[in-house]
């Protein structure tokens, strides 16, 4: 059972550029989450998919951010016109449908540095 | 909205000493509670999860946590610290009806030889 994988692991970009991150969840998991973690803080929720449907978005997800999960498998998170404040670790997690609060399993993250 | 408070951003213990990491949540309704551990430059690994089945929850690597509704607490303990326990620990709470987890700001555990 391979875990959640994320690519790339590190991304350095210049302010104003667009970046895209990919997340591959655990194969049998139908729920997928994106979180952002800044230095010295806990992860903050960005958005959640069940299968291909995006069911919840945080107010942190500005209009420069877009996430997709076109076939209910992998997901991409795109940030347009990056700003220095976007520098953070972007974490993806997945879980399988179940009662109550199902356990989320996290990937290694993509560290974004905006110069 | 739920909130989580982790008292002590840094905790230092000697190898072999008791580890106690504190977590308090805001809701009066028993939520779902989690402890995750994060090693440098890695994602989060689940240590343990509380789902109301038992107030004392045992996790991996010898850790356990006790849910105390009257104190709205879910503190993490380990009887004897090991050097490999040095990491950042996050408490998180989940609401029924919402999938998002709310995390505390984390506690960095240092283990001195």
């Amino acid at each position: 059972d391979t875990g959640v994988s994320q690519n790339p692991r590190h991304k350095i970009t210049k302010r104003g550029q667009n970046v895209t991150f990919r997340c591959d969840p655990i194969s049998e998991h139908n729920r997928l989450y994106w979180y952002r973690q800044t230095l010295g803080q806990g992860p903050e929720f960005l958005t959640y998919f069940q299968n291909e449907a995006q069911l919840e978005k945080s107010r942190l997800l500005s209009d420069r951010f877009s996430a997709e999960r076109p076939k209910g498998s992998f997901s991409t998170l795109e940030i347009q016109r990056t700003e220095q404040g976007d520098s953070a670790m972007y974490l993806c997690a997945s879980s399988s449908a179940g009662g109550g609060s199902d356990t989320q399993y996290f990937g290694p993250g993509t560290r974004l540095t905006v110069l | 909205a739920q909130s989580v408070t982790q008292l002590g951003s840094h905790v230092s213990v000697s190898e072999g000493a008791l580890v106690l990491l504190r977590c308090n949540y805001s809701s009066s309704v028993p939520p779902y509670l989690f402890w995750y551990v994060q090693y440098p430059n890695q994602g989060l690994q689940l240590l343990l999860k509380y789902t109301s089945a038992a107030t004392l929850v045992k996790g991996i690597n010898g850790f356990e946590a006790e849910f105390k509704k009257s104190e709205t607490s879910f503190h993490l303990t380990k009887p004897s610290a090991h050097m490999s326990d040095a990491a950042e620990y996050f408490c998180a709470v989940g609401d029924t009806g919402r999938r998002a987890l709310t995390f505390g700001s984390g506690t960095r555990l240092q283990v001195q030889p």
Side-chain angles (χ1 to χ4, degrees):
Chain A
D1 177 24
T2 57
V4 178
S5 62
Q6 293 186 245
N7 288 288
R9 293 291 309 275
H10 303 273
K11 179 71 177 179
I12 300 174
T13 191
K14 293 182 179 179
R15 190 177 53 185
Q17 298 295 304
N18 299 344
V19 293
T20 301
F21 311 140
R22 176 177 170 128
C23 171
D24 287 89
I26 294 171
S27 58
E28 64 269 24
H29 286 182
N30 63 342
R31 291 177 176 155
L32 187 147
Y33 314 78
W34 286 99
Y35 290 82
R36 181 176 70 184
Q37 184 180 22
T38 52
L39 207 58
Q41 298 298 317
E44 296 174 292
F45 170 76
L46 291 178
T47 190
Y48 149 65
F49 290 85
Q50 179 154 320
N51 300 313
E52 64 275 11
Q54 189 172 18
L55 297 185
E56 190 174 349
K57 291 197 291 187
S58 161
R59 57 180 166 75
L60 293 176
L61 209 67
S62 76
D63 55 7
R64 295 185 299 106
F65 288 69
S66 63
E68 293 182 343
R69 195 182 182 200
K71 297 182 180 179
S73 57
F74 73 91
S75 175
T76 58
L77 177 68
E78 181 183 16
I79 309 175
Q80 295 182 326
R81 305 180 304 281
T82 52
E83 302 173 355
Q84 287 185 325
D86 297 331
S87 295
M89 175 80 88
Y90 290 85
L91 294 165
C92 176
S94 71
S95 69
S96 59
S101 187
D102 41 291
T103 300
Q104 296 178 26
Y105 296 90
F106 284 80
T110 294
R111 182 169 296 283
L112 172 66
T113 302
V114 182
L115 301 176
Chain B
Q2 289 274 12
S3 66
V4 177
T5 302
Q6 291 186 240
L7 288 176
S9 58
H10 289 83
V11 169
S12 182
V13 300
S14 299
E15 192 173 17
L18 171 72
V19 175
L20 170 62
L21 304 182
R22 300 178 185 274
C23 172
N24 289 86
Y25 62 94
S26 62
S27 174
S28 60
V29 176
Y32 299 95
L33 291 159
F34 305 81
W35 276 99
Y36 284 87
V37 61
Q38 187 176 35
Y39 297 98
N41 297 315
Q42 295 187 27
L44 280 72
Q45 179 183 4
L46 180 70
L47 277 178
L48 48 82
K49 172 182 178 182
Y50 166 76
T51 58
S52 79
T55 57
L56 184 63
V57 182
K58 293 190 182 298
I60 63 171
N61 302 338
F63 284 94
E64 62 182 34
E66 186 173 8
F67 173 72
K68 292 187 176 180
K69 182 180 176 182
S70 61
E71 299 176 7
T72 61
S73 69
F74 190 57
H75 301 332
L76 182 71
T77 60
K78 182 174 180 177
S80 177
H82 191 272
M83 297 295 291
S84 62
D85 295 327
E88 184 122 28
Y89 292 80
F90 292 95
C91 181
V93 61
D95 264 329
T96 53
R98 279 196 74 216
R99 297 296 163 197
L101 293 180
T102 300
F103 284 84
S105 56
T107 297
R108 182 167 299 278
L109 176 65
Q110 288 184 312
V111 182
Q112 308 290 345

